[in-house]
Amino acid sequence: MAGHGGNAMTLELIDGSLISPTSLFDALDTVEEYCGTDLRQYMENFLAGEDVPVEKDEHLLEVLESIEKVAEEIRRDTEQKRLSRKHIQENLGCLIATLRREMGDK
């Protein structure tokens, strides 16, 4: 940031040039000019509070699906008239082991 005087702020860009945006839209115009429309749209969506799509890691999805499956099995176990504590404990142990593995044994 190069400086500011009054309401206008002067910003130094990576190429050394200076801009003095008078609004957020002026700054977004510069983002679009230097980085393209996709980044501008991403920032506008983020600033508007909209969900911004994030690529999900395939391994993470597999782990989460595995946890969901075991959690669903535990839920079904708790709905039975006769609870199998051993079965529930085994499933909880599986969940804990999965979580510890993914967290690096913390």
Side-chain angles (χ1 to χ4, degrees):
M1 203 175 324
H4 57 83
N7 289 337
M9 180 177 285
T10 301
L11 304 173
E12 183 177 356
L13 303 179
I14 198 157
D15 66 359
S17 62
L18 302 175
I19 64 165
S20 297
T22 57
S23 72
L24 179 59
F25 294 107
D26 286 346
L28 287 172
D29 289 343
T30 302
V31 167
E32 183 175 10
E33 182 181 329
Y34 280 81
C35 302
T37 304
D38 287 348
L39 183 58
R40 180 193 177 121
Q41 189 63 50
Y42 176 90
M43 293 178 73
E44 285 179 349
N45 291 346
F46 178 80
L47 292 169
E50 296 176 17
D51 288 335
V52 178
V54 176
E55 288 186 31
K56 298 207 178 357
D57 179 276
E58 191 64 34
H59 174 72
L60 177 61
L61 287 175
E62 290 173 8
V63 170
L64 293 174
E65 287 170 356
S66 173
I67 290 171
E68 179 185 36
K69 180 180 174 184
V70 175
E72 180 62 29
E73 196 169 323
I74 292 170
R75 186 190 63 74
R76 280 194 308 270
D77 286 346
T78 61
E79 292 175 345
Q80 301 299 315
K81 288 186 180 184
R82 287 190 69 140
L83 294 178
S84 171
R85 293 184 72 164
K86 181 180 179 189
H87 196 248
I88 291 172
Q89 288 172 341
E90 289 172 356
N91 281 325
L92 287 172
C94 179
L95 280 178
I96 291 168
T98 300
L99 292 169
R100 285 185 178 157
R101 180 185 72 236
E102 293 303 313
M103 294 185 324
D105 294 322
K106 291 182 182 177

